[in-house]
Amino acid sequence: MGFAYTAPEEISPPSGFGQRLALLRMTIGDRIRSSIGGTAGAVAAALITGERASIPDGISADLRAAGIYHVLSISGLHMVLFAGSLFWVVRAALVLIPGLALRYPVKKWAALIAIFGATFYLTISGAAVATQRAWIMICLMFLAILLDRPALSMRNVMLAATVILLWRPESLIGASFQMSFAAVIALIAFYESEPVRNWTLRPRSSGFEAIISRSFTYILGIALTSIVAGTATGVIAAFHFNRIAVYGLAGNMAAMPLVGIVVMPMALLSLLLMPFGLDGPALWAMGQGVDGMLAIAHEVAAWRGADRMVPAAPMSALVLAVFGSLWLTLWRANWRYAGILPIAAGLMLWGSGPKPDILIDRDAALFAVRQSDDEIVLTSSRPSYTAEQWLRYEGDGRTARDAARSPSMKCDTRGCVYREEGRPVITFPETLGAVVEDCERADILIASVPVPRGIRDGCAAELLLDYFYFWRNGATILTLSTDGSVQILTAREVRGNRPWVQRKRTDQ
């Protein structure tokens, strides 16, 4: 979110490789959207180019509620399906030529081609943090094949994290970095554990029994992967977005076979055929798979309680949960299970963050009061970014219109007044005349207009804050103590000592 002080200045477009890459991404996205059409075309383009702006908000909401929104974030799943499919196709094609397969290391040739394919996918997908991590890890895996080394280990995760943090250290505090690495660390720790290794390395059957066994293994693998990755990322997602997908397992179980068998292989095939103009059938098949995925998301999202809001948690809760999770996944000895204790402590701290009684936005245009039932009531029913953030912080799924309905809050054209038995009378006048009237009845008066000193000195309210106060201090929260005192915390106080932060006058 931001704003500009002056009109935008038009500059020359990028040139060289950056321009060609941007044009290539736009061309590919436009071709996919026009060939498939509709919402499926927008989603299909996002899976290849990473451009999600054309996806309707309702579709994004369904995918989040169904727990499969991660499909739109190009990461390990897409990179493995894309580069892995390319590796398999190239190797299978080379094996069909006995003269090559028997004399040359065609597996290494396929790995090298897959590295180039993964790099191409990285460049056209926008190269987000999750995509960078996936690209580094997939390249390390193929490099391990070239060097005859084990391809999957925690060491690869460490190398990927080191490279990204050296290049973009600020990504550490972002949800994309945290969720991406949390998922892959949990999955590697799970599949490298001894019971799972014994299960995956058991002797394979043959014939019809093999078909049944592999089908069961594939379905069970999707379920276990969804549970492990969903558990690892669930706490982080709840911290950053205040949401949990209750039926994420069902959504992933139903949708991921379509993504893995139809959508991503057809995406690879369409890119290979696109330079020759033969990508139509592949894009059609991809569109059908995307339609099926969206139908599943819509169905699961319609289930009662699918998208549940959770209240915000203090940073200490996330730190404890992440520390415990790393302890549990990185160690191999039995003391690893001691990590369950900090995880439990972090979960117990959830929702224990500060809960102010009065919230004022930076422009003194919107106010909120916490009622005795612990829900907040707004002074305006108009949807706004501020109202959305306040309700999300509370883990409150109501709309601004619903949150503005309360018998304790009465509003008219001159302002609002909040009255609840056993609590101070709080008024929010919007005119100077309303300020004069409210001074006689209010315990706390918060005005969205400047209040002259003469009126302020004669006001009977115990606390009076006016427009100039918020102009100087920004967004403000008030906490009412049991002894009747009021604690005030402003954005100016927590912004830190920065050159652009207005200083308090020394004579105050």
Side-chain angles (χ1 to χ4, degrees):
M1 301 293 294
F3 61 92
Y5 285 103
T6 61
E9 178 184 354
E10 185 175 351
I11 61 176
S12 59
S15 59
F17 177 76
Q19 180 187 27
R20 291 193 294 269
L21 179 60
L23 291 175
L24 178 61
R25 289 187 64 200
M26 292 175 60
T27 302
I28 293 175
D30 292 341
R31 186 176 183 88
I32 295 171
R33 283 187 289 267
S34 61
S35 298
I36 298 177
T39 303
V43 174
L47 294 176
I48 295 179
T49 66
E51 178 56 55
R52 290 177 277 181
S54 57
I55 299 177
D57 292 340
I59 297 298
S60 298
D62 285 347
L63 291 171
R64 288 191 185 95
I68 55 177
Y69 188 79
H70 62 87
V71 173
L72 296 183
S73 176
I74 299 177
S75 57
L77 169 69
H78 307 74
M79 195 64 73
V80 168
L81 292 175
F82 187 92
S85 299
L86 181 61
F87 171 76
W88 184 89
V89 169
V90 172
R91 187 183 180 191
L94 294 176
V95 167
L96 294 177
I97 307 175
L100 288 177
L102 295 176
R103 293 181 176 86
Y104 300 99
V106 295
K107 181 180 180 180
K108 295 183 179 181
W109 292 3
L112 186 61
I113 294 174
I115 290 176
F116 286 111
T119 304
F120 173 74
Y121 190 29
L122 173 73
T123 57
I124 67 171
S125 65
V129 172
T131 317
Q132 296 168 17
R133 191 271 308 162
W135 175 78
I136 294 172
M137 291 201 64
I138 201 74
C139 287
L140 287 174
M141 291 175 64
F142 289 128
L143 183 62
I145 293 176
L146 294 174
L147 301 177
D148 298 318
R149 298 291 299 274
L152 189 64
S153 68
M154 285 293 184
R155 189 177 293 108
N156 290 352
V157 183
M158 180 273 294
L159 291 173
T162 302
V163 171
I164 292 176
L165 291 178
L166 287 175
W167 182 25
R168 296 178 58 184
E170 75 282 0
S171 62
L172 176 65
I173 62 175
S176 178
F177 179 94
Q178 295 172 11
M179 295 179 67
S180 178
F181 279 94
V184 72
I185 288 173
L187 288 172
I188 291 178
F190 176 76
Y191 283 107
E192 283 190 343
S193 62
E194 186 174 352
V196 179
R197 287 173 61 90
N198 293 336
W199 174 66
T200 55
L201 297 177
R202 73 189 190 282
R204 300 292 183 181
S205 55
S206 59
F208 180 75
E209 183 181 351
I211 298 176
I212 301 298
S213 175
R214 291 182 180 181
S215 300
F216 173 76
T217 301
Y218 179 74
I219 295 173
L220 183 60
I222 292 177
L224 293 175
T225 299
S226 299
I227 292 173
V228 173
T231 302
T233 59
V235 173
I236 299 174
F239 178 84
H240 287 283
F241 309 116
N242 302 102
R243 293 177 181 273
I244 54 174
V246 179
Y247 305 114
L249 176 60
N252 281 275
M253 288 285 292
M256 294 319 295
L258 274 175
V259 176
I261 298 174
V262 179
V263 176
M264 292 310 298
M266 290 300 104
L268 170 62
L269 184 59
S270 66
L271 284 177
L272 293 175
L273 297 176
M274 198 171 289
F276 309 101
L278 303 175
D279 54 325
L283 287 177
W284 177 86
M286 183 183 181
Q288 298 302 305
V290 171
D291 278 332
M293 181 186 72
L294 295 181
I296 292 170
H298 183 71
E299 174 63 27
V300 175
W303 295 353
R304 184 175 181 180
D307 187 19
R308 183 166 298 177
M309 301 286 293
V310 295
M315 180 61 71
S316 57
L318 180 66
V319 171
L320 283 172
V322 170
F323 173 78
S325 300
L326 291 175
W327 186 279
L328 184 64
T329 54
L330 296 182
W331 290 111
R332 293 180 178 269
N334 288 334
W335 62 65
R336 66 190 300 177
Y337 297 106
I340 297 175
L341 296 177
I343 294 175
L347 295 178
M348 290 176 63
L349 289 174
W350 213 269
S352 62
K355 291 188 175 182
D357 294 290
I358 303 173
L359 299 91
I360 305 104
D361 78 340
R362 63 178 185 179
D363 299 318
L366 181 66
F367 312 92
V369 180
R370 187 175 304 279
Q371 303 180 108
S372 57
D373 60 3
D374 207 36
E375 286 189 341
I376 62 172
V377 55
L378 304 177
T379 58
S380 174
S381 61
R382 292 191 303 271
S384 66
Y385 177 80
T386 301
E388 177 186 341
Q389 295 304 305
W390 285 353
L391 292 171
R392 195 183 78 171
Y393 181 89
E394 296 286 325
D396 194 335
R398 295 178 299 166
T399 64
R401 184 178 298 275
D402 294 332
R405 297 171 181 169
S406 172
S408 301
M409 182 74 76
K410 303 296 182 182
C411 298
D412 55 26
T413 57
R414 304 181 66 191
C416 297
V417 57
Y418 177 84
R419 286 191 180 92
E420 189 176 8
E421 186 176 353
R423 306 195 68 187
V425 177
I426 308 168
T427 61
F428 307 94
E430 297 181 2
T431 65
L432 198 57
V435 171
V436 175
E437 294 181 6
D438 292 344
C439 276
E440 300 176 359
R441 57 179 178 177
D443 298 306
I444 298 175
L445 192 153
I446 303 171
S448 59
V449 295
V451 179
R453 182 179 297 274
I455 297 178
R456 179 187 296 274
D457 293 340
C459 188
E462 298 178 5
L463 176 66
L464 190 155
L465 304 177
D466 68 346
Y467 172 82
F468 282 131
Y469 179 88
F470 305 113
W471 178 78
R472 290 191 300 268
N473 297 283
T476 304
I477 60 174
L478 280 66
T479 303
L480 308 180
S481 303
T482 54
D483 60 359
S485 62
V486 180
Q487 297 178 357
I488 303 176
L489 182 64
T490 67
R492 178 181 176 181
E493 295 173 358
V494 299
R495 269 190 302 224
N497 185 17
R498 304 288 190 271
W500 55 85
V501 175
Q502 187 182 21
R503 299 290 190 274
K504 290 184 178 181
R505 294 188 307 178
T506 57
D507 57 347
Q508 287 183 341

